[in-house]
Amino acid sequence: MSGYPKFFDEVEGIDLKDPLSEVLGTFENGLVKIKYLPIVKMAGHSCPTVAGAYLMTLKALKALYPDTLPVRGEIIVEFKEDESDGVAGVIASVISNITGATEISGFKGLAGKHSRNNLMFFNRDINSNARFTRADNGASVDVFYDHKKVPGNPKMQELMQKVLGGMASDEEKKEFGELWQERVRKILIDYKDDEDVCKVVMI
């Protein structure tokens, strides 16, 4: 028994080159593969917001690094919202865990190299959900995400009210969780390449 939805293992992983981990002997040659399951463990749950942050990062890095591995610690991320607005902080946390980018709290570097702070910014004058920029060559992409384009089961709303109201049976609680994760599965697998859900625009 896996203890989590099987589709977590089916979600496309994100391959990265992490020079800091190579220097410190953490990963051989600094090669890292990020999977959805560890991101869920970090966030504490799997939902359309966490899934969207993962998908936005996956697609943005593919566009920015078409012929080579993305380099962790060399990716700048910008948001139009404040960190405290809505789900911006959740999205930023997921993206930070993948790219290494942080605002001021991240690793300050070794002898002026491999720093992770001052790579994430909020309250930017942009129209997208997030902007990703390569620090080495300045190439940028805007990413747009809209999970409302992915339909959920009509029963979810009724079941959610029962669950949150403490009136759901054990069977209803289980059904709600399964339907919730089925929608997340659609976002990450069935609708992964649907530009109405997640679109990347080169700047």
Side-chain angles (χ1 to χ4, degrees):
M1 184 175 179
S2 65
Y4 56 87
K6 292 182 180 179
F7 80 85
F8 286 9
D9 294 329
E10 299 170 8
V11 177
E12 182 178 353
I14 301 174
D15 292 307
L16 298 161
K17 173 76 172 180
D18 189 337
L20 176 61
S21 74
E22 183 177 14
V23 168
L24 299 179
T26 308
F27 297 110
E28 186 176 0
N29 298 318
L31 301 179
V32 183
K33 179 182 283 290
I34 304 293
K35 296 288 288 182
Y36 184 60
L37 177 58
I39 293 299
V40 169
K41 289 181 178 179
M42 175 277 301
H45 66 289
S46 171
C47 70
T49 297
V50 172
Y54 184 92
L55 184 59
M56 284 193 291
T57 308
L58 169 68
K59 295 179 76 69
L61 296 185
K62 278 188 172 184
L64 282 176
Y65 296 85
D67 303 313
T68 185
L69 289 178
V71 182
R72 190 187 238 168
E74 295 186 9
I75 302 160
I76 300 165
V77 186
E78 301 170 83
F79 302 95
K80 63 182 177 181
E81 298 92 353
D82 187 82
E83 189 175 10
S84 63
D85 291 343
V87 296
V90 177
I91 293 171
S93 180
V94 170
I95 294 175
S96 177
N97 272 269
I98 298 171
T99 65
T102 66
E103 192 174 17
I104 59 174
S105 61
F107 182 61
K108 303 303 188 292
L110 295 170
K113 298 180 179 179
H114 310 303
S115 62
R116 302 291 173 84
N117 62 327
N118 296 317
L119 291 173
M120 183 170 281
F121 303 92
F122 298 87
N123 300 302
R124 293 299 216 187
D125 185 19
I126 61 176
N127 294 319
S128 60
N129 293 96
R131 176 173 291 174
F132 293 73
T133 302
R134 287 179 58 163
D136 61 342
N137 64 11
S140 294
V141 295
D142 275 337
V143 188
F144 301 84
Y145 173 67
D146 186 358
H147 64 78
K148 294 188 294 295
K149 301 291 185 178
V150 180
N153 189 293
K155 294 182 65 177
M156 285 178 60
Q157 186 62 37
E158 177 186 351
L159 288 170
M160 176 182 278
Q161 290 177 353
K162 286 187 175 182
V163 170
L164 296 181
M167 298 178 292
S169 65
D170 289 342
E171 291 77 12
E172 288 173 325
K173 292 177 184 177
K174 180 180 179 182
E175 183 180 12
F176 173 71
E178 290 173 346
L179 293 178
W180 180 273
Q181 291 306 323
E182 173 58 20
R183 184 164 182 246
V184 175
R185 187 197 67 77
K186 288 181 179 179
I187 292 170
L188 289 169
I189 296 178
D190 294 350
Y191 287 77
K192 179 183 70 172
D193 297 318
D194 189 330
E195 291 195 344
D196 286 337
V197 176
C198 189
K199 183 178 181 179
V200 177
V201 178
M202 297 294 298
I203 301 174

